[in-house]
């Protein structure tokens, strides 16, 4: 028999009670100055209560519940012995609580590993997979709105844009998306591809080029990015981190702000080395398909190389241009390329350079 | 004849508050939670949350008796799915706008998103208060929330409008009036709560806190935070059978400084794994410094509230980062 308090669910007054553990029920005798009574608690109607400590609290029945509170006296062990396996005593949480420091440390370390792997690899990989299955017209629409937003920050060279588009039209291109190119005024030797087939070319890179094969190579490279959905994947990757963080810190309204703020800066995300190498190969394929000199890709790399300040070559996360050139040369040697003159392209090139 | 009262007579409980949770215990619960959430791709979240709340409530004591959280994972799962649906629709609108072709649609969608979120806030507070209080009991006596959606909407939007019109100055009154509405509708059996703070006082606290923080190069920020916490706690009054008592917090700036810096170090050095300790440290600092002054008699509460099990806005409130209780 154990001494404890009984609460009847109608008032908060604790009534002194004697509690006996019978085989199929708990028997409670309570008494106050004014009244006294007995209760029979059937085992199936006792509620599972976890996290009990020195005081064991049990609740019983429907709303409003009766309850008892018993301070130590071996009550907990007596319950476990008497009602081994009863539903109200089972708890996977309580059993883990008993594993002690070793279990906790081990569990914590495992968790940390899983979290790190998930954060740096799992979630971004999942986001990339999802991005690869975006409907094409959705990707195109997304790219278009991004493109329009990005263009607001540049001055478009419309004459060169028309000429470049004419050059592109004369090229044989395989792409899931309609390709649209725009030439903008900018001194940095560069070009970007955005989701859905939108390509932005700085005029500086066009001015530097000496052969039209370089231009074909550049377009092939950027179309490669588009075709392999590199920027959509990179966007999904970086967004997935924001989403995960905001879920972790329970701040869903934060994501919206980030998305609105950064929508237009997402286009300049860096691609992985592998993405660049794959796009270089796509550039080579385009040259081969149009029977152009594959050296165009190598010349293009040399243009990029000449523009890169020496100190940047050490810090850049991009594959080094020299490495890319070596890889391209190796690739060119392995395959036989047949070249043939292409008057339409040359005419378009002359038009572009003549401006 | 002093000795006639029986041995079984209960001594009158003193209404002390205490938090007895341990970081290591909460951590072991979190580990199980996270593993189960990973295995179920996050669907376990409502059950995990229910367990956390059950632990925290069980370790919070009034007059030596623990609180009980009766919410179940199942109830909260249904709420979670409904809440997720509402949030998903709002985000759908936002994404549609962000990736749409023209600026008008963009503007309309962004506006609709923020209008939706701000309308959702009072609804979420109302729903969460109804659910959370109804599922909270102490010695079998349930809490309850008697507020109506109409009245919280009115309070929320009138005050929001005034706050916008005064460029944020009215924010302090907004906070206080919202608390008056929410806490004023709180019941604990036959005891009722009220919030007696004054918007002007809160405004002055913010003003003082802001400038002293500036002048002390940020050091005063801990005392500032302490003042705000104590303002929220000290102005909560309890009426029971016509007698009044109030909560009183003795949290000091130095204690808050220790708490905040400690929490920061724990988070940084455990890479966030020590979050359980952050929770238990914070709760013990706040609850253990809190007492009830006055004639509140914890032995004389009477059951008055009905049962309410709809958890839809429990998680919406979480997602919107609303923390009232
Ligand atoms: Zn590239």
């Amino acid at each position: 028999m154990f001494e404890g308090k009984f609460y009847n669910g109608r008032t908060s007054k604790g009534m002194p009670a004697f509690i006996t553990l019978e085989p199929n029920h708990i028997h409670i005798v309570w008494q106050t100055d004014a009244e006294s009574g007995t209760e029979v608690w059937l085992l199936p109607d006792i509620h599972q209560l976890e996290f009990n400590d020195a005081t064991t609290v049990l609740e019983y029945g429907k709303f409003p519940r009766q309850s008892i509170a018993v301070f130590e006296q071996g009550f907990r062990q007596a319950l476990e012995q008497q009602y081994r396996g009863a539903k109200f005593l089972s708890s996977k949480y309580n059993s883990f609580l008993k594993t002690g420091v070793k279990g906790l440390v081990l569990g914590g370390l495992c968790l940390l590993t899983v979290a790190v792997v998930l954060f740096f690899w799992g979630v971004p990989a999942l986001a990339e997979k999802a991005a690869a299955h975006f409907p094409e017209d959705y990707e195109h629409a997304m790219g278009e709105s991004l493109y329009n937003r990005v263009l607001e920050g540049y001055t478009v060279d419309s004459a060169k844009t028309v000429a470049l588009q004419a050059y592109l039209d004369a090229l044989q291109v395989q792409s899931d998306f309609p390709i649209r190119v725009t030439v903008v005024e900018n001194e940095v030797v560069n070009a970007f591809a955005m989701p859905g087939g939108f390509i932005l070319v700085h005029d500086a890179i066009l001015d530097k080029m000496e052969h039209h094969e370089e231009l074909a190579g550049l377009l092939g490279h950027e179309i490669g990015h588009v075709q392999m959905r590199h920027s959509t994947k990179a966007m999904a990757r970086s967004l997935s981190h924001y989403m995960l963080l905001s879920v972790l810190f329970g701040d869903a309204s934060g994501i919206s702000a980030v998305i609105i703020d950064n929508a237009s800066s997402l286009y300049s995300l860096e691609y992985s080395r592998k993405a660049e190498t794959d796009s270089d190969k796509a550039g080579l394929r385009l040259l081969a398909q149009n029977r152009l000199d594959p050296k165009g890709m190598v010349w293009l790399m040399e243009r990029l190389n000449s523009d890169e300040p020496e100190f940047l070559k050490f810090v850049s996360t991009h594959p080094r241009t020299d490495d890319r050139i070596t890889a391209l040369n190796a690739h060119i040697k392995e395959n036989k390329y047949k070249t043939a003159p292409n008057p339409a392209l040359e005419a378009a090139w002359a038009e572009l350079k003549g401006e | 004849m002093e000795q006639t009262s029986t041995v079984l007579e209960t001594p009158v409980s003193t209404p002390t508050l205490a938090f007895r949770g341990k970081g290591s215990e909460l951590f072991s619960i979190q580990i199980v939670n996270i593993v189960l959430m990973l295995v179920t791709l996050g669907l376990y979240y409502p059950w995990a949350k229910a367990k956390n709340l059950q632990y925290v409530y069980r370790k919070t004591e009034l007059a030596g008796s623990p609180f009980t959280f009766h919410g179940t994972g199942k109830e909260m799962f249904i709420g979670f799915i409904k809440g997720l649906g509402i949030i998903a629709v709002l985000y759908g609108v936002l994404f549609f706008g962000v990736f749409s072709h023209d600026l008008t649609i963009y503007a309309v969608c962004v506006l609709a998103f923020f209008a939706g979120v701000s309308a959702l806030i009072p609804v979420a507070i109302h729903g969460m208060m109804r659910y959370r209080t109804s599922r909270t009991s102490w010695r079998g006596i349930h809490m309850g929330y008697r507020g109506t959606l109409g009245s919280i909407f009115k309070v929320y939007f009138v005050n929001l409008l005034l706050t916008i019109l005064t460029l944020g100055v009215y924010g302090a009154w907004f906070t206080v009036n919202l608390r008056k509405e929410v806490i004023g509708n709180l019941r604990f059996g036959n005891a009722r709560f009220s919030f007696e703070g004054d918007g002007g006082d809160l405004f002055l606290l913010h003003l003082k806190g802001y400038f002293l923080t500036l002048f002390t190069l940020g050091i005063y920020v801990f005392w500032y935070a302490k003042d705000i916490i104590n303002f929220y706690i000290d102005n909560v009054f309890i009426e029971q059978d016509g007698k009044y008592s109030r909560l009183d917090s003795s949290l000091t700036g130095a204690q808050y400084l220790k708490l905040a810096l400690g929490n920061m170090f724990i988070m940084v050095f455990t890479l966030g794994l020590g979050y359980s300790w952050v929770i238990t440290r914070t709760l013990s600092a706040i609850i253990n410094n809190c007492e009830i002054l006055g004639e509140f008699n914890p032995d004389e509460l009477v059951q008055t509230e009905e049962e309410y099990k709809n958890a839809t806005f429990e998680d919406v409130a979480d997602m919107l980062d609303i923390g009232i209780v």
Side-chain angles (χ1 to χ4, degrees):
Chain A
M1 194 159 69
F2 300 90
E3 268 181 61
K5 291 271 172 60
F6 172 72
Y7 303 96
N8 62 13
R10 293 190 301 276
T11 73
S12 61
K13 179 127 186 97
M15 305 168 182
F18 292 108
I19 295 142
T20 328
L21 306 183
E22 304 287 356
N24 289 312
H25 65 273
I26 295 179
H27 194 78
I28 301 158
V29 182
W30 53 268
Q31 189 184 6
T32 63
D33 295 345
E35 342 160 65
S36 64
T38 58
E39 308 288 335
V40 170
W41 282 13
L42 301 172
L43 296 189
D45 291 336
I46 301 176
H47 296 279
Q48 180 209 37
L49 276 190
E50 293 169 285
F51 319 131
N52 275 318
D53 36 45
T55 305
T56 301
V57 176
L58 289 179
E59 293 191 348
Y60 182 76
K62 293 201 169 68
F63 178 89
R65 295 174 179 181
Q66 299 181 335
S67 57
I68 52 170
V70 180
F71 186 76
E72 273 179 356
Q73 313 161 55
F75 184 64
R76 181 90 208 153
Q77 286 96 309
L79 276 177
E80 308 247 358
Q81 266 169 26
Q82 180 80 316
Y83 307 122
R84 192 181 302 270
K87 221 178 135 212
F88 73 94
L89 288 174
S90 71
S91 160
K92 52 185 182 287
Y93 286 88
N94 275 340
S95 38
F96 191 74
L97 259 173
K98 289 178 194 129
T99 54
V101 179
K102 225 175 175 180
L104 282 188
V105 171
L106 205 72
L109 284 177
C110 289
L111 213 64
L112 190 66
T113 322
V114 171
V116 168
V117 167
L118 215 66
F119 186 79
F120 289 104
W121 181 79
V123 170
L126 214 69
E128 257 196 53
K129 277 261 153 57
H133 293 286
F134 264 6
E136 273 163 32
D137 50 343
Y138 184 78
E139 196 173 334
H140 182 80
M142 187 177 76
E144 191 170 19
S145 86
L146 222 114
Y147 187 64
N148 290 332
R149 204 85 50 79
V150 167
L151 277 186
E152 285 166 16
Y154 288 102
T155 317
V156 175
D157 186 331
S158 36
K160 277 187 182 165
T161 299
V162 172
L164 184 60
Q165 192 70 46
Y167 182 88
L168 181 69
D169 291 343
L171 267 178
Q172 264 188 46
V173 174
Q174 277 173 347
S175 165
D176 295 342
F177 300 98
I179 303 293
R180 202 169 118 195
V181 286
T182 307
V183 183
V184 295
E185 291 172 13
N186 196 301
E187 291 158 18
V188 183
V189 175
N190 212 345
F192 300 105
M194 278 167 253
F198 297 90
I199 293 170
L200 201 80
V201 181
H202 290 177
D203 57 358
I205 196 168
L206 291 178
D207 295 342
K208 276 211 166 192
M209 285 177 182
E210 286 164 19
H211 316 274
H212 79 88
E213 288 87 348
E214 296 172 40
L215 178 58
L218 175 74
L219 292 172
H221 175 95
E222 298 303 335
I223 293 167
H225 280 316
V226 169
Q227 186 62 14
M228 289 178 269
R229 292 173 169 77
H230 287 153
S231 51
T232 316
K233 286 177 185 168
M235 272 172 59
R237 243 171 201 284
S238 93
L239 274 182
S240 76
H241 281 144
Y242 285 127
M243 296 215 175
L244 194 70
L245 285 177
S246 63
V247 166
L248 282 180
F249 294 105
D251 171 27
S253 42
I255 324 176
S256 53
V258 169
I259 293 171
I260 294 168
D261 284 355
N262 296 343
S264 52
S265 68
L266 284 171
Y267 77 101
S268 58
L269 286 167
E270 292 196 341
Y271 304 130
S272 64
R273 277 159 181 266
K274 181 156 183 331
E276 291 302 343
T277 330
D278 287 349
S279 291
D280 285 349
K281 281 183 195 149
L284 276 181
R285 269 199 303 279
L286 184 106
L287 289 171
Q289 205 184 339
N290 288 278
R291 305 196 150 214
L292 297 174
D293 190 344
K295 278 281 175 196
M297 270 320 279
V298 179
W299 296 326
L300 174 69
M301 289 303 133
E302 280 160 1
R303 299 286 165 247
L304 292 176
N305 209 6
S306 67
D307 189 60
E308 206 168 298
E310 203 57 35
F311 68 91
L312 263 182
K313 288 181 187 165
F314 294 102
V315 293
S316 176
T317 55
H318 272 120
R320 290 193 41 217
T321 336
D322 290 341
D323 298 344
R324 285 167 79 179
I325 293 174
T326 320
L328 283 170
N329 276 327
H331 212 267
I332 292 169
K333 244 181 220 160
E334 276 172 28
N335 300 278
K336 289 212 172 70
Y337 287 91
K338 282 185 200 139
T339 58
N342 190 326
L345 284 178
E346 274 152 34
W349 171 248
E351 184 80 11
L352 183 62
K353 282 301 246 190
E355 290 295 332
Chain B
M1 299 298 279
E2 297 276 328
Q3 302 292 318
T4 46
S5 68
T6 62
V7 192
L8 287 173
E9 176 65 46
T10 357
V12 173
S13 316
T14 45
T16 46
L17 284 161
F19 181 73
R20 306 199 186 282
K22 293 195 192 97
S24 57
E25 288 176 355
L26 187 58
F27 181 63
S28 74
I29 293 164
Q30 306 274 39
I31 286 187
V32 179
N33 279 344
I34 294 172
V35 168
L36 289 171
M37 271 170 74
L38 285 178
V39 171
T40 59
L41 299 173
L43 285 182
Y44 188 75
Y45 174 75
W47 282 270
K49 189 171 160 188
K51 282 292 170 231
N52 273 344
L53 287 173
Q54 282 162 10
Y55 177 80
V56 167
Y57 278 55
R58 175 63 183 80
K59 299 299 166 188
T60 307
E61 293 181 356
L62 168 64
S65 297
F67 284 86
T68 308
F69 181 68
H70 297 274
T72 61
K74 199 172 137 198
E75 284 164 13
M76 290 165 82
F77 179 69
I78 298 166
F80 177 64
I81 295 299
K82 286 188 196 161
L84 217 57
I86 296 170
I87 300 274
V89 168
L90 283 174
Y91 271 96
V93 170
L94 178 71
F95 273 102
F96 181 78
V98 167
F99 294 122
S100 72
H101 301 249
D102 74 302
L103 250 133
T104 328
I105 297 179
Y106 172 76
V108 167
C109 287
V110 171
L111 265 172
F113 174 78
F114 284 113
V117 169
S118 54
L120 200 55
I121 289 172
V123 178
I125 295 175
H126 176 80
M128 180 186 144
M129 286 304 294
R130 283 210 65 183
Y131 177 73
R132 191 66 84 79
T133 55
S134 173
R135 306 311 267 147
T136 302
S137 80
W138 177 81
R139 292 187 181 175
I141 306 300
H142 282 252
M143 299 190 91
Y145 182 72
R146 300 270 183 96
T148 61
L149 198 52
S151 71
I152 197 170
F153 246 94
K154 210 175 112 196
V155 170
Y156 182 83
F157 280 108
V158 167
N159 282 281
L160 183 66
L161 189 70
L162 286 171
T163 306
I164 292 169
L165 288 180
T166 56
L167 304 173
V169 173
Y170 196 73
W173 283 267
F174 181 179
T175 317
V176 164
N177 290 339
L178 194 61
R179 261 171 205 267
K180 279 185 196 288
E181 166 70 18
V182 170
I183 295 177
N185 282 301
L186 204 57
R187 296 290 185 277
F188 183 14
N190 60 330
R192 49 200 297 168
F193 290 80
S194 61
F195 187 76
E196 303 294 343
D198 179 67
D201 291 343
L202 181 60
F203 181 74
L204 287 178
L205 279 183
H206 278 307
L207 209 64
K208 178 182 145 204
Y210 177 77
F211 282 107
L212 283 177
T213 303
L214 270 188
F215 295 147
T216 58
L217 304 173
I219 295 167
Y220 189 76
V221 76
F222 303 103
W223 280 261
Y224 178 15
K226 178 262 313 181
D227 281 345
I228 301 296
I229 292 172
N230 289 351
F231 175 81
Y232 287 151
I233 293 177
D234 293 351
N235 284 303
V236 174
F237 281 68
I238 309 166
E239 185 252 19
Q240 182 189 29
D241 303 327
K243 284 176 284 190
Y244 283 87
S245 25
R246 75 168 178 89
L247 296 185
D248 185 72
S249 169
S250 53
L251 184 71
T252 64
Q255 280 172 319
Y256 188 80
L257 182 143
K258 211 179 115 197
L259 172 73
L261 289 186
N263 284 352
M264 203 186 75
F265 278 113
I266 290 173
M267 284 305 272
V268 169
F269 286 109
T270 63
L271 299 173
L273 270 185
Y275 188 58
S276 311
W277 281 269
V278 169
I279 293 179
T280 52
R281 277 167 52 88
T282 308
L283 287 174
S284 16
I286 289 175
I287 296 174
N288 291 334
N289 275 307
C290 186
E291 57 181 330
I292 301 174
L293 300 181
E295 295 177 83
F296 179 72
N297 185 342
D299 290 335
E300 276 177 10
L301 291 169
V302 178
Q303 190 83 277
T304 56
E305 302 305 301
E306 310 252 307
E307 202 174 22
Y308 180 80
K309 289 181 169 179
N310 182 340
T312 304
F313 294 101
E314 177 67 32
D315 293 301
V316 173
D318 254 18
M319 293 173 207
L320 297 173
D321 208 13
I322 302 169
I324 279 260
V325 257

